Amino acid sequence: EVQLQASGGGLVQAGESLRLSCAVSGFAFDDYSIAWFRQAPGKEREGVSCISITDTDGGTWYADPVKGRFTISRDNGRNVVNLQMNDLKPEDTAVYYCYLPGFDSWGQGTLVTVPA
């Protein structure tokens, strides 16, 4: 059974950092791309970042608003993908979801709140 569990959200002040993690199971972790999405209040869910079977520079993608601030990585030994979020801004406030495109499977989401 494919399972994705996001964690690490919380309330942080603007300019601070937070690291999200997505623990995955039920599939060959290092054979699939994994993505992070977010959904802010009143807005549609949008892609944030994704990582392919490699964690090299050529295997990652970032949405323009988070480039230079967020870093996606994967730990194949622990079947975990991380999203390091630096210099957080109020507009980053959202529920963050990990997503497995190959199975169209979503994690439960974790809330990140950055007060203005």
Side-chain angles (χ1 to χ4, degrees):
E1 180 181 359
V2 175
Q3 297 281 353
L4 300 90
Q5 294 188 340
S7 63
L11 189 152
V12 296
Q13 300 301 310
E16 296 183 349
S17 299
L18 200 62
R19 185 177 68 182
L20 307 182
S21 296
C22 179
V24 301
S25 62
F27 65 98
F29 177 79
D30 55 1
D31 287 345
Y32 290 88
S33 298
I34 300 177
W36 285 96
F37 282 70
R38 68 185 181 185
Q39 187 164 18
K43 303 186 70 175
E44 295 182 345
R45 192 171 299 184
E46 62 181 358
V48 177
S49 182
C50 67
I51 188 166
S52 67
I53 59 175
T54 177
D55 61 356
T56 61
D57 290 344
T60 62
W61 173 87
Y62 300 92
D64 286 342
V66 308
K67 286 181 179 177
R69 298 189 297 118
F70 290 11
T71 303
I72 191 170
S73 62
R74 64 193 301 163
D75 183 344
N76 289 344
R78 297 198 302 126
N79 286 4
V80 169
V81 61
N82 298 310
L83 186 68
Q84 178 67 43
M85 305 183 296
N86 296 330
D87 191 25
L88 283 162
K89 305 176 183 298
E91 51 263 41
D92 296 319
T93 295
V95 177
Y96 285 72
Y97 301 87
C98 51
Y99 175 63
L100 184 62
F103 289 87
D104 192 23
S105 181
W106 297 88
Q108 86 285 4
T110 185
L111 176 63
V112 173
T113 302
V114 186

